[in-house]
Amino acid sequence: KAGVTQTPRYLIKTRGQQVTLSCSPISGHRSVSWYQQTPGQGLQFLFEYFSETQRNKGNFPGRFSGRQFSNSRSEMNVSTLELGDSALYLCASSRGTDRVFSETQYFGPGTRLLVL
Amino acid sequence: AQSVTQLDSHVSVSEGTPVLLRCNYSSSYSPSLFWYVQHPNKGLQLLLKYTSAATLVKGINGFEAEFKKSETSFHLTKPSAHMSDAAEYFCVVSEGRTGTALIFGKGTTLSVSS
């Protein structure tokens, strides 16, 4: 079974631009979560989508948004990029059953975003 | 609110010696706890998870962790370190309200010398 895939793997943008990252979950997984990893703040939860609905959201500004399609693929968008948005963005998928507390999340390799 | 504290930012061991990575958690709910490993330039991989079944959890590559409610701890151990174990390790708790968010510790970098 193919793992979680993320595209692109690397991106360079300038301040003020916007960016869209893509995530394809493991086949059959309906939940997709996004995380930001930086040296200073570590790994932080952005949001989670299940059945095309945002089910949970972390403490990030509205410039960070996402969506999920009917095939469970997800995109994350960051508008008006700031230097501090430079990070590794990780996507994770899980089956999305009722027992969400115990579900294992499977992570993709990440998209490394550099904002100049 | 849920949180995790990894007590050591860096642990150094010699190959063949035991590994102990310490983690304390705080949770308003009966928590689900995980250990993930991240090798350089690679994605996060689940080592093991605790979900209110057996308190001693066995994971991949010889790692195990013990859930101790009285001490609010979930330390990761391995009897004998291997060079390939050198990586960053994250203790993680599942967020309580919906359980869909993972709350990560700051990470512990494990170095293994020959």
Side-chain angles (χ1 to χ4, degrees), chain B residues 4-48:
Chain B
V4 288
T5 302
Q6 292 184 245
L7 300 171
D8 307 292
S9 59
H10 197 167
V11 170
S12 296
V13 300
S14 299
E15 192 173 24
T17 64
V19 175
L20 170 62
L21 305 183
R22 298 182 296 164
C23 172
N24 287 348
Y25 70 91
S26 172
S27 177
S28 304
Y29 303 82
S30 182
S32 289
L33 293 159
F34 309 79
W35 276 96
Y36 279 85
V37 62
Q38 187 175 37
H39 287 94
N41 299 314
K42 291 192 176 181
L44 286 157
Q45 182 183 22
L46 178 70
L47 279 176
L48 50 81

Side-chain angles (χ1 to χ4, degrees), chain A residues 1-99:
Chain A
K1 205 182 243 187
V4 178
T5 58
Q6 294 186 246
T7 57
R9 293 293 311 277
Y10 303 93
L11 265 179
I12 299 176
K13 293 286 188 180
T14 56
R15 277 182 301 175
Q17 287 187 310
Q18 76 166 14
V19 67
T20 299
L21 312 181
S22 181
C23 172
S24 292
I26 292 171
S27 177
H29 284 193
R30 298 163 64 194
S31 171
V32 174
S33 299
W34 289 89
Y35 295 84
Q36 181 196 64
Q37 186 176 22
T38 60
Q41 299 299 317
L43 275 150
Q44 294 182 285
F45 171 74
L46 280 155
F47 31 65
E48 185 251 355
Y49 284 86
F50 176 76
S51 292
E52 302 178 63
T53 301
Q54 187 180 87
R55 189 163 59 172
N56 202 353
K57 187 177 187 305
N59 295 322
F60 278 80
R63 299 185 298 108
F64 292 82
S65 63
R67 59 177 174 168
Q68 187 180 33
F69 301 95
S70 58
N71 62 358
S72 294
R73 190 178 69 85
S74 177
E75 289 182 345
M76 189 191 97
N77 185 76
V78 188
S79 62
T80 320
L81 283 165
E82 300 177 359
L83 296 179
D85 297 332
S86 295
L88 179 67
Y89 290 88
L90 292 163
C91 163
S93 77
S94 63
R95 286 185 295 176
T97 65
D98 289 338
R99 299 191 53 152

